Amino acid sequence: MSINKVIKMSELYAPTLKEVPVEAELASHILLLRAGMIRKTAAGVYTFLPLGWRSLHKIEDIVREEMDAIGSQEIMMPALQPAELWHESGRWNDYGPELMRLVDRHDRGFCLGPTHEELITSLVRNELRSYKQLPVSLYQIQVKFRDEIRPRFGLLRGREFIMKDAYSFHTSQESLQEHYDQMSHAYGRICERLGLEYRPVDADSGQIGGKVSTEYMALADAGEAELVYCDCGFAADVEAASVAVDVIESDATELTEVHTPGIGTIAALAEFLGVPENATVKALSVKDADGKPVVFFIPGDHELNDIKASRVLPGFDLLSDDEMLDWGLVKGFMGPVGLPKGVRVIADESLKASKYWTVGANKKDFHFKGAQCGRDFTVDAWADLIAAKPGDRCKECGAVLQGARGIEVSQVFQLGTKYSTAMGATYMDEDGREKPFIMGCYGVGVSRSLAAVVEQHNDEYGIIWPISCAPAEVAIVPLTVGDEIVAPAAAKLADALCAAGVEVVLDDRNERAGVKFNDADLYGWPFQVVLGKKGINNGQVELKIRATGERKMLAIDEAAALITSMVEEERARFVH
Ligand code: ATP
Ligand code: MG
C-alpha cells in the first residue's frame, strides 16, 4: 500500500494541453492527452504520466480484487517468449504480422507476447501432473504487444497495452463451466465498479481459439465493435451473431434473362427492377487457400462476414480483376447459373428460404430472374456467411434486432483442449490415464478500460471520473495561495481529508481562479472544494460535485467530516 499523501499541484507532473494532435478524434484520446494523463511515444505506444498511472493502478486493483475473490492466483510471466512454444501450438505461423517477432544474439527466435496461452501451458504441463491438483486458475497483469494494422484512438487500440489475462485448467467441462461462470460474473462486476455502461455479448473466439466466448462491451458510439441485441436477452457481436434474415424471392418462376445494361451493383439492380435489395442475390468471388475460385452468394442487402466466411474457407482472399478474367468471371454480373467450370458455389443459408433468385447471368449486362436451386444450378455448400445488422431478426424469438456500438473491454473464452493437446500438456486422471487439460482463458483490457471509462464519462469541460478510478477523489482549490488565511485553511482541510483516507489534490499553484477551475474540470476531480477569503471569513467553503455540477456551501469546521462521508458514500456506489 502506498502512503496517502496530499498531491500538490505545484509539484505534480501533469502538463495540460490546449491543442491536441489532429489524429486524436475521440473524446477519450483527446482528454487523456489534454489532462496530462498520457503521452504518445510512437504509433500505438504510450507513456502513462502520474495521473494516468494512478487511474490505471486503481483499475488494476479492482481487477485484482475480483480475481482474488474467485480464487484466481496472481503470477507474472515474461513478455519475451521463445518462438519454440509458438511453433508447438502452430501459432507462430497462424498469428500473422500482428506478432512482434525478434531474434536474440544467438539467432534464437522470440516474440513479445500478444497473449500467453503458450507460455502458461508450457509452465503448467511440467508442474500440474495429477487430477488432484486441479482445477487451477492463474492470472497476471502485464504489458502485451500486438503490431495492430491500425493502431488508433489512443489507449483503445495500442500496439503495446496492458492486459489482465487469466488461464484456468480443469479435468472436466463442468469444472471449466463453473469457473467460466465465476469469471463472467467477475467481469460484469469489474465493469460495474468502473462505472461502465456495458453489455455482455456472444462473441467469436478469433485467434485465441475455442468455441464458447463472451465479450463485455462498454457501450459507446465511437466503439469499433458493432453489436445486435434483442429484448429477449439475446446479444451478440455482429462478427459472431447468427441471425434470421428476410429474403424475397423473384416473381418469375422460370429462368428469365433480363437485359440490365451497365447495372453492375446491387443498389442499381434493385432500383432498375423496382425491388428491395433483399430481393436480389449478391455474388463475391474469392480464392481458397490453394488459389481455387469460389463464389459466395448472400442476400443482396447484406455484407459478407469475413470471420464466418473464413470458417468455411480458411485463408480465403478476394479475387483481383485479372484473376476474375482468367477464371471467366464477369464482374458485376456473376450468378450461380452457368458458372465456368471449376468454380465452387457457397451460399448463405438464409437463401434456402428463397425458391427463385434474382442473380447475375455470368454475361455482361444481363441478370436472371427466377433462377431455381436444383433446377438451374447447384450449391456446393450452405453456410452462415453474412454480417448481422440491426433490422435482422432474432433467431431465439423472431423479434427485430436493435443495434449498438461498443468498446470491447474484456472477453472470456472456453478453450477446451486446443493448446493442451497441441502442446502435450496432460495430467494423470483418476482412472490412471493421461488426459489433456481442459482450459479457459479470460482477458481484461486494463489500459483500454481506462480509455473506455473516459469515453463514457466526459463533457465539454473535461473528464468526469467515476470515483472508483479517479486519479484523486477531492481537489482543494484555494483561490489565493499567498494569503495568510486561505492558504493555511486549504492546507488544513487537505491534511484532514488525507488523514481520513481520502485522496486529495491541493491546487497550490499561483494561478488565476479561472485557470484553476478549468483545470479542475479538465482533470475531472469528482469533488472540488473552493476556498476564498470571503467564504472563510464567513466560516464557509464551497463544494462542487463534478458529475452533477451541484454546488453547496459547507461550514469550514465540518467540511472535512462531511466531504469524507460523501466520498465514502460515493465509493460505496461502485462496490456492490
Ligand atoms: P480486438 O477485437 O479489439 O482487436 P481482441 O478480441 O483481439 O480485441 P483479446 O485477444 O480478446 O482482444 O484480448 C483481451 C482484451 O485485451 C480485449 O478484450 C481488449 O480489451 C484488450 N485489447 C486487445 N487488443 C488491444 C489493443 N490493441 N489495445 C488495447 N487493448 C487491447
Ligand atoms: Mg477479444
Side-chain angles (χ1 to χ4, degrees):
M1 280 291 274
S2 59
I3 298 165
N4 189 24
K5 248 181 86 192
V6 174
I7 302 167
K8 290 188 176 160
M9 287 286 295
S10 61
E11 296 165 5
L12 183 67
Y13 187 66
T16 57
L17 296 177
K18 285 228 161 53
E19 306 283 329
V20 289
V22 282
E23 76 204 36
E25 301 163 48
L26 298 196
S28 55
H29 190 188
I30 293 171
L31 288 171
L32 288 170
L33 287 168
R34 280 194 54 211
M37 309 268 305
I38 60 167
R39 286 293 178 260
K40 179 174 157 181
T41 300
V45 181
Y46 286 84
T47 297
F48 290 87
L49 303 190
L51 294 181
W53 195 236
R54 285 180 69 95
S55 283
L56 197 86
H57 269 289
K58 289 196 165 181
I59 297 177
E60 288 185 1
D61 285 345
I62 288 172
V63 170
R64 252 188 206 107
E65 279 175 27
E66 294 298 333
M67 290 300 102
D68 294 348
I70 58 168
S72 198
Q73 301 168 53
E74 187 167 7
I75 60 170
M76 184 64 173
M77 289 181 273
L80 193 61
Q81 305 188 11
E84 296 95 80
L85 296 178
W86 287 72
H87 284 299
E88 280 188 47
S89 72
R91 282 207 293 185
W92 187 257
N93 292 325
D94 294 350
Y95 213 92
E98 249 180 52
L99 190 63
M100 295 266 199
R101 298 159 208 252
L102 53 140
V103 281
D104 71 4
R105 65 171 73 201
H106 306 295
D107 236 14
R108 281 190 286 252
F110 284 85
C111 66
L112 294 174
T115 175
H116 278 68
E117 284 79 11
E118 282 78 0
L119 210 128
I120 198 147
T121 305
S122 81
L123 174 82
V124 302
R125 71 179 161 190
N126 301 317
E127 314 270 8
L128 297 175
R129 297 296 309 132
S130 159
Y131 70 95
K132 290 182 195 149
Q133 296 166 285
L134 297 169
V136 166
S137 177
L138 302 168
Y139 78 94
Q140 64 173 348
I141 297 178
Q142 208 222 27
V143 64
K144 295 278 186 279
F145 299 86
R146 293 184 185 180
D147 199 356
E148 297 273 357
I149 187 164
R150 275 199 292 169
R152 55 189 176 156
F153 307 142
L155 300 182
L156 286 177
R157 187 166 295 285
R159 294 197 297 163
E160 175 176 330
F161 57 95
I162 297 167
M163 195 202 286
K164 184 286 300 184
D165 43 330
Y167 306 87
S168 65
F169 302 88
H170 308 267
T171 59
S172 69
Q173 174 61 30
E174 294 71 46
S175 167
L176 168 63
Q177 186 68 47
E178 191 184 328
H179 196 58
Y180 180 86
D181 292 343
Q182 288 175 324
M183 275 284 175
S184 304
H185 185 66
Y187 276 28
R189 282 179 56 91
I190 290 168
C191 288
E192 281 160 23
R193 292 183 63 181
L194 295 178
L196 288 172
E197 192 194 341
Y198 75 101
R199 195 181 266 279
V201 302
D202 296 347
D204 178 73
S205 45
Q207 270 289 4
I208 307 278
K211 288 205 173 65
V212 178
S213 181
T214 303
E215 285 165 344
Y216 289 77
M217 294 287 183
L219 301 177
D221 291 339
E224 287 186 277
E226 284 178 76
L227 36 133
V228 285
Y229 63 94
C230 178
D231 292 338
C232 78
F234 169 80
D237 190 317
V238 294
E239 288 180 346
S242 178
V243 296
V245 168
D246 294 323
V247 288
I248 300 174
E249 59 189 32
S250 166
D251 54 5
T253 55
E254 293 301 323
L255 188 66
T256 316
E257 199 176 75
V258 190
H259 188 211
T260 50
I263 307 290
T265 65
I266 290 291
L269 179 65
E271 198 189 330
F272 183 82
L273 298 175
V275 296
E277 290 189 359
N278 62 342
T280 68
V281 176
K282 188 186 279 184
L284 292 119
S285 56
V286 301
K287 55 184 170 190
D288 66 14
D290 301 325
K292 297 270 167 51
V294 175
V295 181
F296 286 126
F297 290 96
I298 60 176
D301 63 337
H302 276 75
E303 302 297 329
L304 186 75
N305 174 327
D306 289 351
I307 293 176
K308 290 181 183 175
S310 53
R311 247 182 245 138
V312 245
L313 211 61
F316 82 90
D317 204 355
L318 290 178
L319 287 185
S320 67
D321 288 0
D322 285 345
E323 286 169 323
M324 286 179 74
L325 274 178
D326 290 347
W327 285 101
L329 295 166
V330 190
K331 195 179 178 180
F333 298 91
M334 282 182 295
V337 186
L339 270 174
K341 240 182 143 207
V343 181
R344 266 193 301 151
V345 169
I346 304 181
D348 185 68
E349 51 199 22
S350 65
L351 290 169
K352 274 186 188 166
S354 169
K355 200 163 174 198
Y356 305 108
W357 297 10
T358 298
V359 280
N362 293 316
K363 188 160 94 176
K364 189 162 167 27
D365 293 343
F366 286 91
H367 280 82
F368 282 128
K369 295 205 312 186
Q372 187 184 358
C373 181
R375 181 188 68 190
D376 306 316
F377 63 90
T378 51
V379 167
D380 297 301
W382 297 93
D384 180 4
L385 295 173
I386 52 170
K389 59 179 190 182
D392 290 341
R393 280 182 302 101
C394 176
K395 268 195 172 165
E396 317 270 325
C397 76
V400 171
L401 294 169
Q402 291 161 275
R405 299 191 74 90
I407 298 164
E408 179 200 318
V409 286
S410 51
Q411 187 166 10
V412 291
F413 306 83
Q414 292 191 13
L415 292 173
T417 57
K418 174 175 165 158
Y419 294 92
S420 47
T421 303
M423 299 180 68
T426 58
Y427 65 95
M428 183 77 75
D429 206 357
E430 222 170 337
D431 58 11
R433 291 217 208 115
E434 288 287 329
K435 292 181 186 162
F437 297 114
I438 299 174
M439 291 172 57
C441 79
Y442 320 88
V444 175
V446 175
S447 47
R448 182 181 282 185
S449 292
L450 177 69
V453 168
V454 178
E455 196 59 38
Q456 283 190 357
H457 298 274
N458 69 79
D459 65 11
E460 62 202 292
Y461 306 109
I463 304 173
I464 307 174
W465 287 111
I467 202 160
S468 56
C469 47
E473 296 166 320
V474 177
I476 307 282
V477 186
L479 294 181
T480 39
V481 287
D483 191 276
E484 71 265 14
I485 300 179
V486 177
K492 194 174 156 204
L493 180 57
D495 287 340
L497 286 168
C498 197
V502 173
E503 296 170 351
V504 183
V505 169
L506 175 63
D507 195 349
D508 58 343
R509 296 172 304 164
N510 191 8
E511 288 283 359
R512 285 184 293 111
V515 171
K516 291 188 177 186
F517 292 153
N518 287 345
D519 280 354
D521 280 353
L522 176 60
Y523 289 126
W525 315 122
F527 293 96
Q528 302 169 10
V529 191
V530 180
L531 286 85
K533 199 165 179 167
K534 224 165 95 195
I536 293 178
N537 283 335
N538 292 330
Q540 290 193 313
V541 296
E542 187 186 51
L543 173 71
K544 174 177 161 186
I545 297 172
R546 176 71 176 93
T548 59
E550 195 186 337
R551 290 165 197 272
K552 331 185 165 166
M553 298 307 290
L554 306 178
I556 193 160
D557 298 338
E558 293 166 13
L562 278 172
I563 295 167
T564 302
S565 69
M566 289 169 85
V567 165
E568 282 167 355
E569 210 173 288
E570 188 61 11
R571 285 179 190 156
R573 279 208 312 124
F574 292 92
V575 189
H576 301 276

